[in-house]
Amino acid sequence: MQIEEVHNTTEAVEMPLSSKVMRNAMFGGLRYLLVAPIPFVMTPLILHKIGVGGYGTWAVFLAINGLTSLADLGLVGTLSKFVAEYYAHRDLGALSRVLCSGFAVFLGLATGIGLGLWIATPWLAGWLFHGTAVAQTEIIFLFRMFSVVVAANILNLMFSSVTAGLQRLDITNLISAGNLFLSAFFSAMLLLQGQGLRGLVFGYSVSAVLTVCAYVLTVRSLLPEVSINPLHFDRQEARKMFSFSFRLYFTQAAVAVNNQIEKLFLAFFVGVAAAGWYDIASDVASKIRGAIGFLLSPVLPAASELSALGDESRLRELYFRTHKYLALAGIPAVCFVAAVSGRFVDLWIGPAMKMVALPLGVLVIVSLVNLATGPGFLIFAGRGLLKPGVNGAIIGIFSNLVLSFLLIYKYGFAGAVVGTSASLILAAVYFIWVFHVQTGYSFVRLLKVAYLKPLLCTSLAMAAVFVVNPGTNVSWFGLVAMGVGFGLLYSLLILLSRFFDAYDWSKIEGIVPAVRHARRLARFA
């Protein structure tokens, strides 16, 4: 059974669901190809211009911005789900109510959180920035300026959930990429002019505001027949949203806690320098996780649409195929990055930062384990079944808070890596077990169809490449050559293993007709 075409009954021509999923995944991949170089350029530049202590101070700003995503109360995924369902049935009245109510809530959250941070700035500045060389008055000024970034990003979360619900993740990814490019461009220009930490804050502020403007114009063009006015807030619709979002909230809270809390604990117990070390490792790991996780972005709106149509068979197929593509891209990527992390760090930011290499290798592998919960969670969310995800999130949050606090207090930087890794693995194992028990989906089939061949092909390709060159003293050119060689060998092995079935080939050839030559090679094998 494949993810077949679904035609809308109210339009003459509607894009098939499978094509929407493919388009969304393609633009997600394009986004990460475009933005992947940004952190690898910006991190050395920031370290060079403001030093390790300054980078650590900036990492605390980013951690606080990341934690403010907790303020959305689970409404991002909720809006995406409701928009997908209402739009699938072309219920413009319900769509207008949910958008007006959602905008009113997010506007209130952005205003409240922004003002709250502004008022609490003197207390937060004294508590979180131990060891910084930046003057306290400057920290207070910059923190208050950064509240603009926080408020704007909360609004951007709302608008991105609308475009995602409309299954226009191509637009979501393009605007997101534009935001990253602009923030990097403005920040880099100001850093090069000697503006230091102030330049980073100003650059991010301008980019965040411009992104809000871009989203407003985009949503108006996508839904010209729907008026989005926060004054038309609908209590009944809001109550319906919150009844779903509060359950979804715990899973988002777990992501925010797992991504940011260690930096704050490190800043408090050890100092901003250690927070900066951890931020470098976790940022690279999260970028790689995001580059793989783009495959998951179309799943929630697709699952919501299939659930609204009552199509259980295609929901099951969506689950296995998502895992299949996740394993195809994720396993070779994380294994290669973990294997070369030591030399990569030496070449990228210098041997003086070698303490970042091991955490980077560990976190990138653990991120893939955590990412494997994504297909099941998003399909459950599309069905409106959130309890298993909530329970897993509670396990992840509680274990991370306790383990990270205790281990960082006792072991410092190393404790942050162990605490995060243990909590993520524990939560992932729990959720995957519960998902397969409740759905009855075969776990053996999942391993056989999705993970077995990518694991074997990755192992063989890595063994061949690292026997030829262990990679301990290679240059940038040598490291890139190793990556290209590994990728080509892995691709050849995966083709010969007949990993792709007829449905996979039909979709791939529909996008890139030239790959039919590769299909002949697979048939020959």
Side-chain angles (χ1 to χ4, degrees):
M1 181 67 185
Q2 287 83 32
I3 306 172
E4 298 170 354
E5 299 184 352
V6 177
H7 294 275
N8 189 279
T9 58
T10 63
E11 292 187 355
V13 178
E14 171 72 7
M15 179 178 286
L17 178 60
S18 58
S19 298
K20 293 178 185 177
V21 172
M22 188 69 70
R23 178 190 64 189
N24 291 337
M26 283 178 58
F27 273 89
L30 177 62
R31 172 187 179 272
Y32 279 100
L33 285 176
L34 291 174
V35 304
I38 292 177
F40 301 113
V41 173
M42 289 300 297
T43 299
L45 178 62
I46 296 171
L47 286 169
H48 176 69
K49 290 296 183 180
I50 62 177
V52 175
Y55 187 94
T57 304
W58 176 237
V60 176
F61 277 90
L62 295 180
I64 292 170
N65 184 47
L67 282 175
T68 54
S69 63
L70 295 173
D72 84 326
L73 305 177
L75 288 169
V76 171
T78 301
L79 270 177
S80 180
K81 171 181 167 58
F82 282 18
V83 168
E85 291 179 351
Y86 293 151
Y87 194 70
H89 292 294
R90 293 301 187 270
D91 189 344
L92 297 182
L95 186 60
S96 178
R97 290 193 300 273
V98 76
L99 291 180
C100 292
S101 302
F103 186 39
V105 172
F106 271 94
L107 192 60
L109 288 170
T111 303
I113 297 298
L115 288 175
L117 287 174
W118 184 285
I119 294 169
T121 291
W123 176 75
L124 291 172
W127 183 55
L128 292 176
F129 295 92
H130 295 173
T132 183
V134 183
Q136 188 78 353
T137 54
E138 179 72 357
I139 287 289
I140 291 174
F141 170 76
L142 293 179
F143 204 99
R144 284 178 168 164
M145 176 61 67
F146 198 73
S147 65
V148 174
V149 179
V150 172
N153 284 341
I154 290 174
L155 290 177
N156 287 330
L157 288 174
M158 180 267 174
F159 288 116
S160 67
S161 68
V162 176
T163 54
L166 295 173
Q167 301 210 47
R168 292 308 307 268
L169 287 171
D170 51 336
I171 295 175
T172 306
N173 284 308
L174 288 174
I175 294 178
S176 175
N179 182 23
L180 292 172
F181 271 113
L182 287 176
S183 61
F185 175 77
F186 292 138
S187 299
M189 292 300 100
L190 293 170
L191 279 173
L192 292 171
Q193 292 175 12
Q195 294 296 316
L197 190 62
R198 181 174 289 206
L200 289 171
V201 173
F202 284 5
Y204 270 66
S205 300
V206 173
S207 177
V209 172
L210 290 176
T211 303
V212 172
C213 296
Y215 264 126
V216 170
L217 295 175
T218 299
V219 171
R220 284 180 62 87
S221 66
L222 289 175
L223 295 171
E225 69 274 29
V226 176
S227 174
I228 305 178
N229 188 339
L231 298 179
H232 296 163
F233 176 81
D234 188 287
R235 290 186 179 181
Q236 184 176 356
E237 194 68 41
R239 190 178 300 113
K240 182 179 178 182
M241 285 193 300
F242 278 118
S243 68
F244 185 87
S245 70
F246 282 140
R247 292 174 288 162
L248 185 64
Y249 176 67
F250 285 98
T251 59
Q252 294 179 198
V255 173
V257 168
N258 289 330
N259 287 342
Q260 309 297 341
I261 196 65
E262 293 84 358
K263 302 172 195 175
L264 299 183
F265 283 161
L266 284 168
F268 182 74
F269 286 122
V270 184
V272 293
W277 301 338
Y278 188 85
D279 180 74
I280 293 172
S282 65
D283 185 57
V284 175
S286 67
K287 292 295 188 298
I288 295 171
R289 182 186 189 277
I292 302 165
F294 79 86
L295 293 165
L296 301 180
S297 56
V299 176
L300 178 57
S304 299
E305 183 173 327
L306 290 173
S307 179
L309 297 172
D311 200 329
E312 171 60 31
S313 63
R314 280 189 289 166
L315 275 172
R316 183 186 299 108
E317 191 64 23
L318 178 66
Y319 176 74
F320 285 106
R321 289 199 179 277
T322 304
H323 267 290
K324 183 176 181 178
Y325 304 144
L326 190 65
L328 173 69
I331 290 175
V334 302
C335 289
F336 183 78
V337 170
V340 302
S341 59
R343 186 56 184 162
F344 169 75
V345 169
D346 285 347
L347 292 170
W348 179 38
I349 51 179
M353 299 294 289
K354 64 182 179 181
M355 75 288 291
V356 172
L358 181 59
L360 169 58
V362 172
L363 291 175
V364 75
I365 293 174
V366 172
S367 293
L368 182 62
V369 175
N370 178 255
L371 200 60
T373 64
F377 171 75
L378 293 171
I379 285 174
F380 267 171
R383 291 175 169 177
L385 180 59
L386 293 176
K387 185 176 180 180
V390 170
N391 292 340
I394 291 173
I395 292 172
I397 292 173
F398 180 77
S399 60
N400 199 2
L401 287 172
V402 173
L403 289 175
S404 294
F405 184 89
L406 295 176
L407 292 173
I408 291 172
Y409 176 77
K410 187 169 181 62
Y411 299 107
F413 182 65
V417 180
V418 175
T420 298
S421 300
S423 60
L424 285 174
I425 292 172
L426 178 63
V429 169
Y430 167 80
F431 178 82
I432 291 172
W433 175 73
V434 170
F435 180 87
H436 282 269
V437 168
Q438 291 197 11
T439 60
Y441 295 177
S442 171
F443 186 69
V444 174
R445 180 194 171 191
L446 177 66
L447 294 178
K448 182 179 178 181
V449 169
Y451 288 93
L452 179 60
K453 290 179 180 179
L455 275 170
L456 290 175
C457 293
T458 296
S459 300
L460 291 172
M462 286 189 66
V465 169
F466 283 93
V467 164
V468 174
N469 189 343
T472 53
N473 294 304
V474 296
S475 63
W476 274 119
F477 178 80
L479 194 62
V480 171
M482 288 179 64
V484 171
F486 168 75
L488 291 174
L489 185 55
Y490 171 77
S491 300
L492 177 62
L493 290 172
I494 207 72
L495 284 173
L496 295 176
S497 71
R498 296 186 179 180
F499 182 74
F500 300 111
D501 59 21
Y503 175 79
D504 298 324
W505 285 115
S506 68
K507 292 304 175 184
I508 296 171
E509 290 176 7
I511 300 169
V512 186
V515 300
R516 59 180 177 271
H517 302 298
R519 187 176 188 179
R520 293 194 188 103
L521 176 62
R523 285 174 176 170
F524 176 77

